Amino acid sequence: MKKSIILSLITLFCSLAALAGEDTKFEKAMQAAITAVHSSKTVEEMQQAANQLERIATAEPKEWLPAYWVSYSYLNMAFMENDNVRKDQLMDKADQFLQKAEAQQSNQDEVLVMKAFIALGRISIDGQTRFQTYGPIFNESLAKARQINQENPRIYMLEGQMLYYTPEAFGGGKATACPKLKTAMDKFSSFKPASSISPDWGIKSAEHLYANCDGK
């Protein structure tokens, strides 16, 4: 009886150790891919990082973060592109992978923030014709994200970014954007990602825009 209990404990220990090893392997692969995303300076480099993340997403279909980071990669590629048709194609890919992440985490503030970020990317192509369609998606997604986690600094960074590039005649400009950017900077100062592979982007954009604010 005693021997049987010992064998069971050894089996359990080996199983837990194997699972821990799998988690570590997944996290290391994700960390390497996310580092590649953050260091990418060209569309080609970002595409390589996105491909790396897509392979992880395929291997780990129950994890939402690989698909989330693929979405982020394609959105950044869209911002690097000059051709508007190509921009939309890349944002279609960003949408496609965000839907996969959303299928795993439907009530996740970071997914909602990314949805707003993609809407902002669509608006940036032609604000006059696209705001009516994508403006409500932007505002509603951030409102829902705030209800889930009002400490997420990316909510205020995107609101500030939207206002910064909106003409004063339509309620935008530095005067309305800078208080939002100040809030974003305050939130970033105390923000800690949930894990080493959780969303951590946005502070550089906030710093860049906030540097232009008067009396900061």
Side-chain angles (χ1 to χ4, degrees):
M1 181 68 179
K2 185 176 179 181
K3 185 177 180 181
S4 176
I5 292 173
I6 292 172
L7 285 173
S8 297
L9 289 173
I10 291 173
T11 301
L12 176 63
F13 175 79
C14 290
S15 298
L16 291 173
L19 286 173
E22 287 297 317
D23 287 346
T24 300
K25 184 179 177 182
F26 167 68
E27 289 181 9
K28 284 184 176 179
M30 284 293 296
Q31 288 167 0
I34 293 167
T35 298
V37 169
H38 288 321
S39 63
S40 293
K41 304 296 183 188
T42 66
V43 172
E44 290 74 20
E45 289 175 351
M46 190 66 80
Q47 181 67 70
Q48 289 180 7
N51 293 344
Q52 193 174 346
L53 286 159
E54 279 193 54
R55 287 193 289 273
I56 299 173
T58 300
E60 301 286 350
K62 293 183 178 179
E63 298 283 350
W64 69 279
L65 282 168
Y68 170 91
W69 280 105
V70 177
S71 176
Y72 177 79
S73 303
Y74 276 108
L75 181 57
N76 275 275
M77 273 188 267
F79 286 127
M80 292 175 176
E81 276 285 350
N82 293 318
D83 182 78
N84 287 342
V85 173
R86 182 62 181 151
K87 281 176 178 283
D88 269 328
Q89 291 172 343
L90 290 166
M91 282 188 273
D92 288 344
K93 292 280 286 186
D95 259 332
Q96 173 189 335
F97 279 94
L98 188 63
Q99 288 172 17
K100 292 183 178 181
E102 193 172 20
Q104 301 294 334
Q105 290 282 328
S106 59
N107 196 34
Q108 163 61 253
D109 58 300
E110 296 290 4
V111 170
L112 290 162
V113 168
M114 184 62 71
K115 184 179 289 188
F117 199 13
I118 294 171
L120 181 61
R122 303 279 195 187
I123 293 169
S124 70
I125 292 176
D126 187 346
Q128 285 190 332
T129 62
R130 294 189 170 197
F131 186 82
Q132 190 170 4
T133 299
Y134 295 105
I137 296 173
F138 177 86
N139 292 325
E140 290 167 12
S141 297
L142 291 186
K144 289 179 182 176
R146 198 192 322 271
Q147 288 178 352
I148 298 169
N149 180 14
Q150 63 180 358
E151 297 304 312
N152 189 324
R154 282 168 283 281
I155 296 171
Y156 310 94
M157 187 278 288
L158 290 183
E159 288 177 336
Q161 188 172 338
M162 171 71 96
L163 289 168
Y164 192 91
Y165 292 109
T166 297
E168 291 183 9
F170 296 100
K174 285 171 57 175
T176 54
C178 288
K180 292 288 185 182
L181 294 169
K182 172 69 166 59
T183 301
M185 294 298 294
D186 290 343
K187 300 286 186 186
F188 271 121
S189 68
S190 58
F191 173 76
K192 292 183 179 178
S195 72
S196 62
I197 60 174
S198 295
D200 61 353
W201 54 270
I203 190 169
K204 288 184 179 179
S205 296
E207 287 175 341
H208 173 73
L209 295 177
Y210 189 59
N212 297 320
C213 291
D214 300 323
K216 57 184 181 297

